[in-house]
mmCIF file of all heavy atoms in Angstrom:
data_model
loop_
_atom_site.group_PDB
_atom_site.id
_atom_site.type_symbol
_atom_site.label_atom_id
_atom_site.label_comp_id
_atom_site.label_asym_id
_atom_site.label_seq_id
_atom_site.Cartn_x
_atom_site.Cartn_y
_atom_site.Cartn_z
ATOM 1 N N VAL A 540 72.000 85.023 45.125
ATOM 2 C CA VAL A 540 71.515 86.150 45.926
ATOM 3 C C VAL A 540 71.624 85.790 47.402
ATOM 4 O O VAL A 540 70.943 84.881 47.875
ATOM 5 C CB VAL A 540 70.065 86.541 45.568
ATOM 6 C CG1 VAL A 540 69.648 87.789 46.341
ATOM 7 C CG2 VAL A 540 69.916 86.755 44.076
ATOM 8 N N GLY A 541 72.485 86.516 48.126
ATOM 9 C CA GLY A 541 72.671 86.276 49.556
ATOM 10 C C GLY A 541 74.009 85.629 49.837
ATOM 11 O O GLY A 541 74.333 84.577 49.282
ATOM 12 N N CYS A 542 74.806 86.284 50.689
ATOM 13 C CA CYS A 542 76.133 85.763 51.006
ATOM 14 C C CYS A 542 76.182 85.189 52.425
ATOM 15 O O CYS A 542 77.082 85.460 53.201
ATOM 16 C CB CYS A 542 77.193 86.839 50.797
ATOM 17 S SG CYS A 542 78.859 86.171 50.774
ATOM 18 N N GLY A 543 75.160 84.396 52.769
ATOM 19 C CA GLY A 543 75.203 83.594 53.986
ATOM 20 C C GLY A 543 75.865 82.270 53.644
ATOM 21 O O GLY A 543 76.350 82.068 52.527
ATOM 22 N N ILE A 544 75.858 81.346 54.602
ATOM 23 C CA ILE A 544 76.536 80.064 54.390
ATOM 24 C C ILE A 544 75.956 79.303 53.202
ATOM 25 O O ILE A 544 76.673 78.604 52.479
ATOM 26 C CB ILE A 544 76.493 79.211 55.680
ATOM 27 C CG1 ILE A 544 77.374 77.972 55.572
ATOM 28 C CG2 ILE A 544 75.096 78.758 56.007
ATOM 29 C CD1 ILE A 544 78.672 78.092 56.243
ATOM 30 N N SER A 545 74.658 79.469 52.952
ATOM 31 C CA SER A 545 74.024 78.743 51.855
ATOM 32 C C SER A 545 74.556 79.238 50.509
ATOM 33 O O SER A 545 74.913 78.429 49.639
ATOM 34 C CB SER A 545 72.507 78.936 51.932
ATOM 35 O OG SER A 545 71.847 77.902 51.279
ATOM 36 N N GLU A 565 74.980 90.575 47.499
ATOM 37 C CA GLU A 565 74.619 90.623 48.927
ATOM 38 C C GLU A 565 74.117 92.020 49.300
ATOM 39 O O GLU A 565 74.703 93.030 48.920
ATOM 40 C CB GLU A 565 75.843 90.215 49.771
ATOM 41 C CG GLU A 565 75.798 90.526 51.252
ATOM 42 C CD GLU A 565 74.633 89.896 52.013
ATOM 43 O OE1 GLU A 565 74.331 88.711 51.789
ATOM 44 O OE2 GLU A 565 74.025 90.616 52.836
ATOM 45 N N ALA A 566 73.026 92.037 50.074
ATOM 46 C CA ALA A 566 72.398 93.308 50.451
ATOM 47 C C ALA A 566 73.263 94.142 51.397
ATOM 48 O O ALA A 566 73.300 95.366 51.310
ATOM 49 C CB ALA A 566 71.047 93.033 51.110
ATOM 50 N N THR A 567 73.965 93.470 52.297
ATOM 51 C CA THR A 567 74.690 94.195 53.338
ATOM 52 C C THR A 567 76.174 94.333 52.972
ATOM 53 O O THR A 567 76.585 93.947 51.886
ATOM 54 C CB THR A 567 74.590 93.445 54.690
ATOM 55 O OG1 THR A 567 75.341 92.236 54.585
ATOM 56 C CG2 THR A 567 73.148 93.120 55.036
ATOM 57 N N GLY A 571 78.273 86.150 55.609
ATOM 58 C CA GLY A 571 77.974 85.351 56.802
ATOM 59 C C GLY A 571 76.503 85.331 57.163
ATOM 60 O O GLY A 571 76.024 84.372 57.749
ATOM 61 N N GLY A 572 75.786 86.404 56.871
ATOM 62 C CA GLY A 572 74.353 86.450 57.182
ATOM 63 C C GLY A 572 74.101 86.187 58.653
ATOM 64 O O GLY A 572 74.606 86.888 59.529
ATOM 65 N N ARG A 573 73.338 85.117 58.927
ATOM 66 C CA ARG A 573 72.990 84.803 60.315
ATOM 67 C C ARG A 573 74.115 84.106 61.068
ATOM 68 O O ARG A 573 73.946 83.738 62.231
ATOM 69 C CB ARG A 573 71.694 83.972 60.333
ATOM 70 C CG ARG A 573 70.463 84.830 60.138
ATOM 71 C CD ARG A 573 69.240 83.988 59.920
ATOM 72 N NE ARG A 573 69.073 83.603 58.532
ATOM 73 C CZ ARG A 573 68.187 82.726 58.078
ATOM 74 N NH1 ARG A 573 67.394 82.123 58.935
ATOM 75 N NH2 ARG A 573 68.100 82.445 56.791
ATOM 76 N N ILE A 586 76.397 86.524 67.837
ATOM 77 C CA ILE A 586 75.129 87.251 67.706
ATOM 78 C C ILE A 586 74.090 86.357 67.023
ATOM 79 O O ILE A 586 72.902 86.428 67.301
ATOM 80 C CB ILE A 586 75.352 88.533 66.850
ATOM 81 C CG1 ILE A 586 76.486 89.388 67.429
ATOM 82 C CG2 ILE A 586 74.071 89.329 66.688
ATOM 83 C CD1 ILE A 586 76.222 89.956 68.802
ATOM 84 N N GLY A 587 74.559 85.527 66.114
ATOM 85 C CA GLY A 587 73.661 84.606 65.398
ATOM 86 C C GLY A 587 73.892 83.176 65.848
ATOM 87 O O GLY A 587 73.876 82.895 67.047
ATOM 88 N N ALA A 588 74.133 82.291 64.869
ATOM 89 C CA ALA A 588 74.304 80.866 65.175
ATOM 90 C C ALA A 588 75.350 80.666 66.258
ATOM 91 O O ALA A 588 76.374 81.350 66.297
ATOM 92 C CB ALA A 588 74.686 80.102 63.915
ATOM 93 N N ASN A 589 75.085 79.709 67.142
ATOM 94 C CA ASN A 589 75.881 79.503 68.334
ATOM 95 C C ASN A 589 76.696 78.215 68.288
ATOM 96 O O ASN A 589 77.886 78.215 68.521
ATOM 97 C CB ASN A 589 74.910 79.404 69.514
ATOM 98 C CG ASN A 589 75.399 80.109 70.722
ATOM 99 O OD1 ASN A 589 75.330 81.334 70.768
ATOM 100 N ND2 ASN A 589 75.931 79.381 71.682
ATOM 101 N N TRP A 590 75.984 77.130 68.010
ATOM 102 C CA TRP A 590 76.592 75.803 68.101
ATOM 103 C C TRP A 590 76.666 75.117 66.742
ATOM 104 O O TRP A 590 75.937 75.468 65.815
ATOM 105 C CB TRP A 590 75.736 74.894 68.994
ATOM 106 C CG TRP A 590 75.657 75.303 70.407
ATOM 107 C CD1 TRP A 590 76.610 75.117 71.378
ATOM 108 C CD2 TRP A 590 74.561 75.958 71.071
ATOM 109 N NE1 TRP A 590 76.171 75.616 72.590
ATOM 110 C CE2 TRP A 590 74.920 76.127 72.430
ATOM 111 C CE3 TRP A 590 73.310 76.407 70.664
ATOM 112 C CZ2 TRP A 590 74.074 76.725 73.372
ATOM 113 C CZ3 TRP A 590 72.472 77.004 71.584
ATOM 114 C CH2 TRP A 590 72.862 77.167 72.924
ATOM 115 N N HIS A 592 75.164 72.029 65.684
ATOM 116 C CA HIS A 592 74.187 71.070 66.207
ATOM 117 C C HIS A 592 74.527 69.689 65.671
ATOM 118 O O HIS A 592 74.488 69.461 64.471
ATOM 119 C CB HIS A 592 72.774 71.450 65.774
ATOM 120 C CG HIS A 592 72.213 72.652 66.473
ATOM 121 N ND1 HIS A 592 72.219 72.789 67.837
ATOM 122 C CD2 HIS A 592 71.628 73.770 65.996
ATOM 123 C CE1 HIS A 592 71.656 73.934 68.168
ATOM 124 N NE2 HIS A 592 71.295 74.566 67.072
ATOM 125 N N ARG A 658 58.333 65.547 74.894
ATOM 126 C CA ARG A 658 58.946 66.149 73.713
ATOM 127 C C ARG A 658 59.324 65.052 72.705
ATOM 128 O O ARG A 658 59.125 65.194 71.504
ATOM 129 C CB ARG A 658 60.200 66.912 74.155
ATOM 130 C CG ARG A 658 60.850 67.725 73.079
ATOM 131 C CD ARG A 658 62.086 68.391 73.641
ATOM 132 N NE ARG A 658 62.571 69.417 72.733
ATOM 133 C CZ ARG A 658 63.419 69.179 71.745
ATOM 134 N NH1 ARG A 658 63.851 67.949 71.547
ATOM 135 N NH2 ARG A 658 63.815 70.160 70.957
ATOM 136 N N LYS A 662 57.771 63.973 68.632
ATOM 137 C CA LYS A 662 58.517 63.645 67.415
ATOM 138 C C LYS A 662 58.009 62.358 66.770
ATOM 139 O O LYS A 662 58.153 62.163 65.570
ATOM 140 C CB LYS A 662 60.013 63.521 67.731
ATOM 141 C CG LYS A 662 60.585 64.819 68.264
ATOM 142 C CD LYS A 662 62.034 64.970 67.939
ATOM 143 C CE LYS A 662 62.350 66.426 67.668
ATOM 144 N NZ LYS A 662 63.554 66.630 66.913
ATOM 145 N N ILE A 714 64.181 77.330 70.820
ATOM 146 C CA ILE A 714 64.763 76.275 69.986
ATOM 147 C C ILE A 714 64.046 76.238 68.632
ATOM 148 O O ILE A 714 64.676 76.139 67.589
ATOM 149 C CB ILE A 714 64.677 74.911 70.703
ATOM 150 C CG1 ILE A 714 65.546 74.930 71.964
ATOM 151 C CG2 ILE A 714 65.125 73.787 69.776
ATOM 152 C CD1 ILE A 714 65.394 73.716 72.865
ATOM 153 N N SER A 715 62.727 76.341 68.665
ATOM 154 C CA SER A 715 61.989 76.303 67.405
ATOM 155 C C SER A 715 61.987 77.656 66.691
ATOM 156 O O SER A 715 61.700 77.726 65.502
ATOM 157 C CB SER A 715 60.544 75.863 67.647
ATOM 158 O OG SER A 715 60.463 74.463 67.652
ATOM 159 N N PHE A 728 56.617 67.941 63.633
ATOM 160 C CA PHE A 728 57.696 68.279 64.571
ATOM 161 C C PHE A 728 58.873 67.312 64.425
ATOM 162 O O PHE A 728 60.038 67.709 64.502
ATOM 163 C CB PHE A 728 57.150 68.248 66.003
ATOM 164 C CG PHE A 728 58.076 68.831 67.035
ATOM 165 C CD1 PHE A 728 58.488 70.146 66.956
ATOM 166 C CD2 PHE A 728 58.513 68.052 68.109
ATOM 167 C CE1 PHE A 728 59.338 70.688 67.931
ATOM 168 C CE2 PHE A 728 59.354 68.591 69.089
ATOM 169 C CZ PHE A 728 59.772 69.906 68.988
ATOM 170 N N TYR A 731 62.219 67.395 61.708
ATOM 171 C CA TYR A 731 63.568 67.898 62.018
ATOM 172 C C TYR A 731 64.386 66.748 62.589
ATOM 173 O O TYR A 731 63.927 66.005 63.449
ATOM 174 C CB TYR A 731 63.499 69.054 63.027
ATOM 175 C CG TYR A 731 64.868 69.548 63.411
ATOM 176 C CD1 TYR A 731 65.542 70.451 62.603
ATOM 177 C CD2 TYR A 731 65.503 69.079 64.561
ATOM 178 C CE1 TYR A 731 66.820 70.886 62.935
ATOM 179 C CE2 TYR A 731 66.775 69.505 64.902
ATOM 180 C CZ TYR A 731 67.425 70.406 64.079
ATOM 181 O OH TYR A 731 68.690 70.827 64.405
ATOM 182 N N PRO A 766 71.227 95.374 47.685
ATOM 183 C CA PRO A 766 69.969 94.669 47.930
ATOM 184 C C PRO A 766 69.231 94.426 46.616
ATOM 185 O O PRO A 766 69.086 95.343 45.810
ATOM 186 C CB PRO A 766 69.177 95.636 48.815
ATOM 187 C CG PRO A 766 70.139 96.673 49.284
ATOM 188 C CD PRO A 766 71.253 96.719 48.286
ATOM 189 N N VAL A 767 68.810 93.196 46.428
ATOM 190 C CA VAL A 767 68.061 92.855 45.221
ATOM 191 C C VAL A 767 66.607 93.249 45.424
ATOM 192 O O VAL A 767 66.006 92.966 46.466
ATOM 193 C CB VAL A 767 68.185 91.340 44.929
ATOM 194 C CG1 VAL A 767 67.162 90.891 43.891
ATOM 195 C CG2 VAL A 767 69.601 91.006 44.492
ATOM 196 N N THR A 806 68.980 82.722 48.068
ATOM 197 C CA THR A 806 69.199 82.177 49.430
ATOM 198 C C THR A 806 68.680 83.154 50.491
ATOM 199 O O THR A 806 69.073 83.093 51.656
ATOM 200 C CB THR A 806 70.696 81.880 49.702
ATOM 201 O OG1 THR A 806 71.386 83.133 49.913
ATOM 202 C CG2 THR A 806 71.362 81.142 48.560
ATOM 203 N N ILE A 807 67.832 84.052 50.067
ATOM 204 C CA ILE A 807 67.272 85.078 50.957
ATOM 205 C C ILE A 807 66.463 84.423 52.087
ATOM 206 O O ILE A 807 65.727 83.476 51.836
ATOM 207 C CB ILE A 807 66.371 86.011 50.108
ATOM 208 C CG1 ILE A 807 67.241 86.830 49.137
ATOM 209 C CG2 ILE A 807 65.510 86.893 50.959
ATOM 210 C CD1 ILE A 807 66.444 87.715 48.197
ATOM 211 N N PRO A 808 66.602 84.909 53.333
ATOM 212 C CA PRO A 808 65.856 84.305 54.450
ATOM 213 C C PRO A 808 64.332 84.318 54.239
ATOM 214 O O PRO A 808 63.797 85.228 53.609
ATOM 215 C CB PRO A 808 66.218 85.188 55.643
ATOM 216 C CG PRO A 808 67.508 85.833 55.284
ATOM 217 C CD PRO A 808 67.492 85.981 53.790
ATOM 218 N N TYR A 811 62.405 87.545 55.045
ATOM 219 C CA TYR A 811 62.401 88.564 53.983
ATOM 220 C C TYR A 811 61.431 88.164 52.876
ATOM 221 O O TYR A 811 60.658 88.981 52.373
ATOM 222 C CB TYR A 811 63.817 88.736 53.429
ATOM 223 C CG TYR A 811 63.945 89.852 52.395
ATOM 224 C CD1 TYR A 811 64.419 91.110 52.757
ATOM 225 C CD2 TYR A 811 63.596 89.633 51.065
ATOM 226 C CE1 TYR A 811 64.544 92.125 51.811
ATOM 227 C CE2 TYR A 811 63.713 90.643 50.116
ATOM 228 C CZ TYR A 811 64.191 91.883 50.485
ATOM 229 O OH TYR A 811 64.299 92.883 49.553
ATOM 230 N N ASN A 840 64.296 84.577 67.764
ATOM 231 C CA ASN A 840 64.977 84.155 68.990
ATOM 232 C C ASN A 840 66.160 85.110 69.149
ATOM 233 O O ASN A 840 66.941 85.272 68.216
ATOM 234 C CB ASN A 840 65.454 82.705 68.844
ATOM 235 C CG ASN A 840 66.024 82.148 70.140
ATOM 236 O OD1 ASN A 840 65.718 82.641 71.230
ATOM 237 N ND2 ASN A 840 66.856 81.122 70.040
ATOM 238 N N TRP A 903 68.303 84.096 76.931
ATOM 239 C CA TRP A 903 67.594 83.682 75.707
ATOM 240 C C TRP A 903 66.138 84.121 75.777
ATOM 241 O O TRP A 903 65.445 83.827 76.743
ATOM 242 C CB TRP A 903 67.670 82.160 75.551
ATOM 243 C CG TRP A 903 69.062 81.673 75.344
ATOM 244 C CD1 TRP A 903 69.989 81.398 76.311
ATOM 245 C CD2 TRP A 903 69.715 81.433 74.087
ATOM 246 N NE1 TRP A 903 71.171 80.981 75.722
ATOM 247 C CE2 TRP A 903 71.019 80.984 74.356
ATOM 248 C CE3 TRP A 903 69.310 81.525 72.744
ATOM 249 C CZ2 TRP A 903 71.934 80.648 73.358
ATOM 250 C CZ3 TRP A 903 70.210 81.184 71.745
ATOM 251 C CH2 TRP A 903 71.501 80.753 72.055
ATOM 252 N N TRP A 947 67.355 90.454 65.734
ATOM 253 C CA TRP A 947 67.142 89.824 64.423
ATOM 254 C C TRP A 947 65.842 90.217 63.756
ATOM 255 O O TRP A 947 65.730 90.193 62.534
ATOM 256 C CB TRP A 947 67.276 88.297 64.548
ATOM 257 C CG TRP A 947 68.701 87.919 64.725
ATOM 258 C CD1 TRP A 947 69.321 87.542 65.880
ATOM 259 C CD2 TRP A 947 69.725 87.942 63.716
ATOM 260 N NE1 TRP A 947 70.666 87.316 65.653
ATOM 261 C CE2 TRP A 947 70.927 87.551 64.327
ATOM 262 C CE3 TRP A 947 69.738 88.252 62.347
ATOM 263 C CZ2 TRP A 947 72.135 87.457 63.625
ATOM 264 C CZ3 TRP A 947 70.926 88.157 61.644
ATOM 265 C CH2 TRP A 947 72.105 87.764 62.289
ATOM 266 N N TYR A 952 67.010 92.521 56.356
ATOM 267 C CA TYR A 952 67.230 91.465 55.364
ATOM 268 C C TYR A 952 67.021 90.072 55.941
ATOM 269 O O TYR A 952 67.395 89.086 55.337
ATOM 270 C CB TYR A 952 68.611 91.615 54.718
ATOM 271 C CG TYR A 952 68.715 92.955 54.039
ATOM 272 C CD1 TYR A 952 69.497 93.987 54.555
ATOM 273 C CD2 TYR A 952 67.944 93.216 52.917
ATOM 274 C CE1 TYR A 952 69.523 95.238 53.956
ATOM 275 C CE2 TYR A 952 67.956 94.460 52.304
ATOM 276 C CZ TYR A 952 68.744 95.463 52.832
ATOM 277 O OH TYR A 952 68.746 96.690 52.239
ATOM 278 N N SER A 956 64.609 85.109 63.058
ATOM 279 C CA SER A 956 65.795 84.286 63.306
ATOM 280 C C SER A 956 65.888 83.050 62.413
ATOM 281 O O SER A 956 66.870 82.859 61.721
ATOM 282 C CB SER A 956 65.845 83.861 64.771
ATOM 283 O OG SER A 956 65.943 85.014 65.581
ATOM 284 N N TYR A 957 64.886 82.202 62.486
ATOM 285 C CA TYR A 957 64.916 81.015 61.616
ATOM 286 C C TYR A 957 63.524 80.425 61.474
ATOM 287 O O TYR A 957 62.582 80.849 62.127
ATOM 288 C CB TYR A 957 65.933 79.973 62.077
ATOM 289 C CG TYR A 957 66.107 79.837 63.570
ATOM 290 C CD1 TYR A 957 65.314 79.002 64.316
ATOM 291 C CD2 TYR A 957 67.098 80.585 64.234
ATOM 292 C CE1 TYR A 957 65.483 78.879 65.686
ATOM 293 C CE2 TYR A 957 67.277 80.477 65.611
ATOM 294 C CZ TYR A 957 66.465 79.623 66.328
ATOM 295 O OH TYR A 957 66.627 79.512 67.673
ATOM 296 N N GLY A 992 68.945 78.071 50.992
ATOM 297 C CA GLY A 992 68.745 78.718 52.297
ATOM 298 C C GLY A 992 68.174 77.729 53.286
ATOM 299 O O GLY A 992 67.533 76.735 52.919
ATOM 300 N N GLU A 993 68.467 78.013 54.526
ATOM 301 C CA GLU A 993 68.048 77.214 55.680
ATOM 302 C C GLU A 993 66.617 76.670 55.569
ATOM 303 O O GLU A 993 66.360 75.484 55.810
ATOM 304 C CB GLU A 993 68.241 78.147 56.890
ATOM 305 C CG GLU A 993 67.489 77.906 58.119
ATOM 306 C CD GLU A 993 66.187 78.692 58.187
ATOM 307 O OE1 GLU A 993 66.137 79.913 57.952
ATOM 308 O OE2 GLU A 993 65.194 78.043 58.505
ATOM 309 N N SER A 1001 66.471 75.557 59.893
ATOM 310 C CA SER A 1001 66.821 76.326 61.105
ATOM 311 C C SER A 1001 68.264 76.141 61.573
ATOM 312 O O SER A 1001 68.611 76.578 62.661
ATOM 313 C CB SER A 1001 65.858 76.064 62.279
ATOM 314 O OG SER A 1001 66.155 74.831 62.895
ATOM 315 N N THR A 1002 69.089 75.524 60.768
ATOM 316 C CA THR A 1002 70.488 75.326 61.183
ATOM 317 C C THR A 1002 71.475 75.782 60.104
ATOM 318 O O THR A 1002 71.109 75.973 58.943
ATOM 319 C CB THR A 1002 70.783 73.846 61.473
ATOM 320 O OG1 THR A 1002 70.686 73.121 60.234
ATOM 321 C CG2 THR A 1002 69.829 73.262 62.484
ATOM 322 N N VAL A 1003 72.719 75.905 60.524
ATOM 323 C CA VAL A 1003 73.789 76.264 59.593
ATOM 324 C C VAL A 1003 74.049 75.099 58.635
ATOM 325 O O VAL A 1003 74.202 75.298 57.427
ATOM 326 C CB VAL A 1003 75.080 76.635 60.361
ATOM 327 C CG1 VAL A 1003 76.210 76.930 59.395
ATOM 328 C CG2 VAL A 1003 74.835 77.840 61.272
ATOM 329 N N ALA A 1006 71.406 74.968 55.996
ATOM 330 C CA ALA A 1006 71.608 76.022 54.991
ATOM 331 C C ALA A 1006 72.717 75.634 54.023
ATOM 332 O O ALA A 1006 72.590 75.788 52.801
ATOM 333 C CB ALA A 1006 71.943 77.337 55.695
HETATM 334 C C1 6YU B 1263 72.940 76.411 63.966
HETATM 335 C C2 6YU B 1263 72.924 77.408 66.107
HETATM 336 N N1 6YU B 1263 71.427 79.360 66.431
HETATM 337 C C3 6YU B 1263 70.714 81.677 66.696
HETATM 338 C C4 6YU B 1263 70.245 82.847 66.162
HETATM 339 C C5 6YU B 1263 70.002 82.902 64.771
HETATM 340 C C6 6YU B 1263 70.200 81.787 63.979
HETATM 341 N N2 6YU B 1263 70.914 79.431 63.764
HETATM 342 P P1 6YU B 1263 71.519 83.845 55.892
HETATM 343 O O1 6YU B 1263 70.476 84.686 56.497
HETATM 344 O O2 6YU B 1263 72.708 83.533 56.677
HETATM 345 O O3 6YU B 1263 72.012 84.488 54.516
HETATM 346 C C7 6YU B 1263 71.128 85.145 53.658
HETATM 347 C C8 6YU B 1263 71.804 86.393 53.116
HETATM 348 O O4 6YU B 1263 70.900 87.016 52.191
HETATM 349 C C9 6YU B 1263 72.095 87.447 54.187
HETATM 350 O O5 6YU B 1263 73.450 87.793 54.166
HETATM 351 C C10 6YU B 1263 71.203 88.640 53.800
HETATM 352 O O6 6YU B 1263 71.772 89.887 54.072
HETATM 353 C C11 6YU B 1263 71.044 88.417 52.307
HETATM 354 N N3 6YU B 1263 69.858 89.068 51.751
HETATM 355 C C12 6YU B 1263 68.618 89.146 52.270
HETATM 356 N N4 6YU B 1263 67.801 89.838 51.464
HETATM 357 C C13 6YU B 1263 68.536 90.182 50.385
HETATM 358 C C14 6YU B 1263 68.261 90.912 49.192
HETATM 359 N N5 6YU B 1263 67.051 91.422 48.933
HETATM 360 N N6 6YU B 1263 69.258 91.103 48.295
HETATM 361 C C15 6YU B 1263 70.509 90.594 48.516
HETATM 362 N N7 6YU B 1263 70.816 89.900 49.637
HETATM 363 C C16 6YU B 1263 69.841 89.694 50.553
HETATM 364 N N8 6YU B 1263 72.075 77.366 63.497
HETATM 365 O O7 6YU B 1263 73.307 75.502 63.255
HETATM 366 N N9 6YU B 1263 73.333 76.464 65.286
HETATM 367 O O8 6YU B 1263 73.309 77.413 67.293
HETATM 368 C C17 6YU B 1263 71.987 78.373 65.662
HETATM 369 C C18 6YU B 1263 70.917 80.531 65.948
HETATM 370 C C19 6YU B 1263 70.006 83.988 67.054
HETATM 371 C C20 6YU B 1263 69.542 84.140 64.137
HETATM 372 C C21 6YU B 1263 70.665 80.563 64.572
HETATM 373 C C22 6YU B 1263 71.637 78.378 64.309
HETATM 374 C C23 6YU B 1263 70.415 79.364 62.412
HETATM 375 C C24 6YU B 1263 71.502 79.654 61.371
HETATM 376 O O9 6YU B 1263 72.186 80.822 61.719
HETATM 377 C C25 6YU B 1263 70.854 79.826 60.006
HETATM 378 O O10 6YU B 1263 70.016 78.736 59.727
HETATM 379 C C26 6YU B 1263 71.867 79.938 58.865
HETATM 380 O O11 6YU B 1263 72.959 80.744 59.180
HETATM 381 C C27 6YU B 1263 71.144 80.490 57.638
HETATM 382 O O12 6YU B 1263 71.996 80.585 56.534
HETATM 383 P P2 6YU B 1263 71.402 81.062 55.134
HETATM 384 O O13 6YU B 1263 72.544 81.181 54.195
HETATM 385 O O14 6YU B 1263 70.259 80.210 54.758
HETATM 386 O O15 6YU B 1263 70.776 82.499 55.405
HETATM 387 C C28 6YU B 1263 62.754 69.848 67.235
HETATM 388 C C29 6YU B 1263 63.061 70.861 66.394
HETATM 389 C C30 6YU B 1263 63.005 72.079 66.036
HETATM 390 C C31 6YU B 1263 63.785 72.653 64.929
HETATM 391 N N10 6YU B 1263 64.839 73.480 65.342
HETATM 392 C C32 6YU B 1263 65.903 72.889 66.044
HETATM 393 C C33 6YU B 1263 67.245 73.469 65.727
HETATM 394 C C34 6YU B 1263 67.523 74.634 66.556
HETATM 395 C C35 6YU B 1263 68.032 75.769 65.747
HETATM 396 N N11 6YU B 1263 68.883 76.455 66.560
HETATM 397 C C36 6YU B 1263 69.226 77.600 66.562
HETATM 398 C C37 6YU B 1263 69.859 78.041 67.645
HETATM 399 C C38 6YU B 1263 70.795 78.893 67.678
HETATM 400 C C39 6YU B 1263 71.086 79.329 69.014
#
Side-chain angles (χ1 to χ4, degrees):
V540 185
C542 194
I544 189 101
S545 203
E565 165 59 44
T567 69
R573 281 170 275 171
I586 306 296
N589 220 76
W590 295 282
H592 287 309
R658 187 181 193 272
K662 299 209 145 201
I714 295 172
S715 274
F728 191 60
Y731 177 83
V767 166
T806 75
I807 292 176
Y811 185 98
N840 187 22
W903 295 85
W947 287 103
Y952 300 108
S956 298
Y957 35 87
E993 157 267 311
S1001 78
T1002 67
V1003 177

